[in-house]
Structure formats: structure tokens, C-alpha cells
Amino acid sequence: MTDASRRTIPGLRASGVGADEAPAGEIRGSTTILELLRMFPDGRAAKLMSDIQFPCAHCGGAVREPLTLAAKRHRRDPRAVLIAFRALGHGGPTETELASARARQA
């Protein structure tokens, strides 16, 4: 299996899914779950999703669902979740950032 075939979802038309399409450089609220997984192919994004109890890596909605919508769907503070994912690029998140992203809102 080629690298391109591992990174392609045949027939899907969405941003960040093409094998030749580079993942976004900046994590924003509109960054999709799939784009996050592609940004960190070493598994850091998937591990963070697991750590904050997001089943998003296994969900069909991951292709088009933005990070902030996923946070709201799972009753989390979108800003805290965004901060935690942005921290992945800098050796984080810290325990405080992780706890904030994990905390459920009423």
C-alpha cells in the first residue's frame, strides 16, 4: 500500500483529505477532526482525543466536523479544546490544559 493510498478517502470531497493535499499549518476552530489526525500522523492528535474522551477519531463525522463543533457536541469548552490541540505542536498540552479540555460543561 502506498503512502498516497493510505491518506486518501476515495470519492470523498472535503478539505484536507486528498493524498497530495498538505495538512493545514495552523489549528483553528474550523479545522476538522480528520485534518487534525493528518497533521499529527504519529498519533499525538488521536491520543489527545482519547485523553479528553473524544471518540472522534472513530466517527464518520470526523471528516467534516470542525473542532469547535466537536467540543460543543461533547460538552467541552471549545477554547480549552482548541488550546490543547494547538499545544501539540509545542510539546504539550500541559496537565492544566488537558484538565481544562477534559472538563465537561453543564
Side-chain angles (χ1 to χ4, degrees):
M1 178 177 285
T2 67
D3 186 48
S5 65
R6 276 186 294 221
R7 297 182 338 151
T8 302
I9 301 175
L12 178 68
R13 295 178 195 267
S15 64
V17 299
D20 57 348
E21 195 173 339
E26 179 185 0
I27 298 174
R28 300 178 312 213
S30 61
T31 302
T32 66
I33 299 301
L34 180 59
E35 287 173 316
L36 285 168
L37 293 170
R38 290 191 66 224
M39 289 169 113
F40 300 97
D42 59 358
R44 288 182 287 162
K47 177 159 179 6
L48 178 54
M49 287 178 205
S50 174
D51 289 345
I52 63 174
Q53 301 168 345
F54 269 27
C56 299
H58 307 286
C59 173
V63 174
R64 291 195 173 93
E65 187 165 89
L67 182 58
T68 52
L69 181 59
K72 290 176 185 178
R73 186 180 307 278
H74 296 291
R75 296 185 3 229
R76 303 300 175 9
D77 175 13
R79 172 70 56 194
V81 170
L82 186 58
I83 288 169
F85 277 95
R86 284 180 176 166
L88 286 175
H90 309 288
T94 65
E95 285 300 320
T96 303
E97 291 167 335
L98 190 56
S100 294
R102 189 183 294 134
R104 291 192 186 269
Q105 296 183 319

